[in-house]
Amino acid sequence: MYEIFSECVMYRYNSRFCSKGTIFVFFTTILTLLFPLMFTYKSHGFWMKTATYQEKPDVHFKYEYLFILQTESLDSLIICSTFPYLNNLYKDKNSCPIIKVREEDYNRDGYNDILHFELEALLENNENVYGITLILLFDYRLYGHCYLEMESLGVIQQMTSVPGSRFDYAADLQLLQKFPLHTKFHNTFYKKSIFHSKNFNIRDILKDYAARNVSTHLVNSYSVWSYGRAAIDPFIVSAQISYPSVTVMYKPGFWQEIKWAWMQYFPVLFPFILLFREIKRFIFSNHIIHTKKDVQWQKIS
């Protein structure tokens, strides 16, 4: 035997507006929408509080620095900087005649990739170096999903009990955030100069800098402290600072929140739609709730 024709039968269940059937359908519809909402919300994935993205920062060395070289005593302290106030205050202790700075863009994408900084400090024949502090200032900018413009620091410190002749240092300049950035306005609060006053107390400056919401610090650092300086040789500091891509944390906007919430809600909603549809089919087909049943034929072939 061959099937030469087929048709489907669809049952329609009708009821008055103020009836048990209408009330039952109303509550099942509410539960169908409410249960997935409660499930996704309680699973701590419904709303995006923060989001992240990758970006290559636009970093420029500001050609501003503060270098402190610690010798045997505080009286023989050597301070070199680009700040006129410090240079006038410690003019007798400023003995850094040679400074070499070079920034390179290896991949030719318009963004600097690395900074080469080298400094030579002249010493007396009987002076020995036991520690250094080097603070480099950068102009740090982000142009992607979040706009950020700020002045930031790279702090290098080294102390030892053995006098040295050279210090080599390599690290990455990494973005540090305590709270997510906002995408609705430009984040330029930290654009002001860090050394904005005559208060050059290193402890106060670093404490204020550490309290910032957005800053930079040096990570993935490697250093070599060389010994055995000749009497006439200068003390050399060589630093190589890389500018890698960073992960930026930000607060999502309204439409991104809605898109993410819908993606979490719909996969849970679909099974509940099927479940309550079968419940309604069982209730009405077995006449547990009284309704008017109509038959409608549908031709499919």
Side-chain angles (χ1 to χ4, degrees):
M1 300 295 293
Y2 296 95
E3 180 181 343
I4 59 174
F5 179 78
S6 64
E7 61 181 355
C8 296
V9 179
M10 182 176 65
Y11 297 100
R12 294 182 179 272
Y13 297 90
N14 302 317
S15 180
R16 294 182 178 180
F17 182 76
C18 295
S19 63
K20 294 180 180 180
T22 304
I23 296 175
F24 173 74
V25 172
F26 175 77
F27 277 104
T28 54
T29 303
I30 295 298
L31 294 177
T32 303
L33 301 176
L34 184 61
F35 281 167
L37 181 63
M38 294 176 59
F39 179 82
T40 53
Y41 182 79
K42 291 296 184 180
S43 62
H44 303 286
F46 188 66
W47 294 112
M48 292 179 61
K49 295 182 179 180
T50 60
T52 58
Y53 73 97
Q54 287 280 335
E55 182 178 351
K56 173 70 175 178
D58 186 12
V59 185
H60 295 274
F61 179 58
K62 298 190 68 174
Y63 293 89
E64 296 180 2
Y65 69 93
L66 173 61
F67 175 68
I68 302 175
L69 192 147
Q70 181 67 53
T71 58
E72 288 90 343
S73 63
L74 292 177
D75 294 336
S76 58
L77 192 70
I78 295 177
I79 298 178
C80 303
S81 73
T82 54
F83 305 104
Y85 174 76
L86 281 180
N87 293 335
N88 294 331
L89 187 63
Y90 300 99
K91 62 175 60 178
D92 297 334
K93 300 179 180 181
N94 191 337
S95 58
C96 302
I98 300 177
I99 299 172
K100 301 176 184 179
V101 177
R102 185 177 80 256
E103 285 182 303
E104 293 183 346
D105 179 11
Y106 288 144
N107 53 10
R108 301 291 183 250
D109 60 350
Y111 295 92
N112 293 326
D113 294 314
I114 194 169
L115 165 69
H116 299 278
F117 181 92
E118 185 173 308
L119 180 146
E120 295 185 8
L122 300 180
L123 301 173
E124 299 293 338
N125 294 341
N126 59 347
E127 284 186 314
N128 294 314
V129 178
Y130 291 93
I132 66 163
T133 298
L134 176 61
I135 300 178
L136 305 175
L137 281 80
F138 298 91
D139 182 22
Y140 199 95
R141 300 185 182 188
L142 298 174
Y143 301 110
H145 198 54
C146 299
Y147 184 90
L148 172 66
E149 187 176 354
M150 67 175 180
E151 182 177 272
S152 64
L153 297 180
V155 182
I156 303 172
Q157 287 186 312
Q158 178 71 20
M159 295 294 174
T160 181
S161 59
V162 181
S165 61
R166 181 186 177 97
F167 179 69
D168 292 272
Y169 185 86
D172 296 334
L173 187 68
Q174 185 66 41
L175 181 69
L176 179 63
Q177 292 180 253
K178 296 181 180 179
F179 301 99
L181 297 175
H182 291 274
T183 59
K184 295 182 179 179
F185 55 87
H186 290 181
N187 300 274
T188 58
F189 181 76
Y190 298 116
K191 186 180 178 180
K192 59 184 179 181
S193 176
I194 298 174
F195 295 89
H196 59 278
S197 65
K198 294 184 179 181
N199 180 19
F200 281 88
N201 190 312
I202 301 299
R203 289 174 296 180
D204 294 339
I205 291 175
L206 294 183
K207 284 180 180 179
D208 295 339
Y209 184 74
R212 288 172 34 164
N213 176 30
V214 187
S215 59
T216 59
H217 63 146
L218 297 176
V219 299
N220 191 31
S221 61
Y222 299 91
S223 61
V224 177
W225 183 269
S226 302
Y227 309 103
R229 185 183 68 87
I232 60 175
D233 291 342
F235 184 85
I236 300 175
V237 176
S238 178
Q240 179 177 292
I241 309 300
S242 300
Y243 308 145
S245 298
V246 295
T247 300
V248 184
M249 179 175 58
Y250 69 98
K251 186 174 179 59
F254 173 77
W255 293 111
Q256 187 176 359
E257 290 273 18
I258 293 298
K259 182 182 70 173
W260 175 260
W262 173 251
M263 293 173 59
Q264 304 301 310
Y265 178 72
F266 182 76
V268 184
L269 174 65
F270 187 71
F272 277 94
I273 292 176
L274 298 179
L275 174 63
F276 280 100
R277 182 178 179 86
E278 293 300 321
I279 293 175
K280 288 187 286 186
R281 185 194 306 276
F282 176 80
I283 294 294
F284 293 132
S285 62
N286 290 278
H287 302 286
I288 298 176
I289 296 178
H290 179 71
T291 58
K292 182 181 178 182
K293 183 177 181 181
D294 295 333
V295 180
Q296 181 177 352
W297 298 86
Q298 290 184 338
K299 297 180 179 180
I300 60 175
S301 62

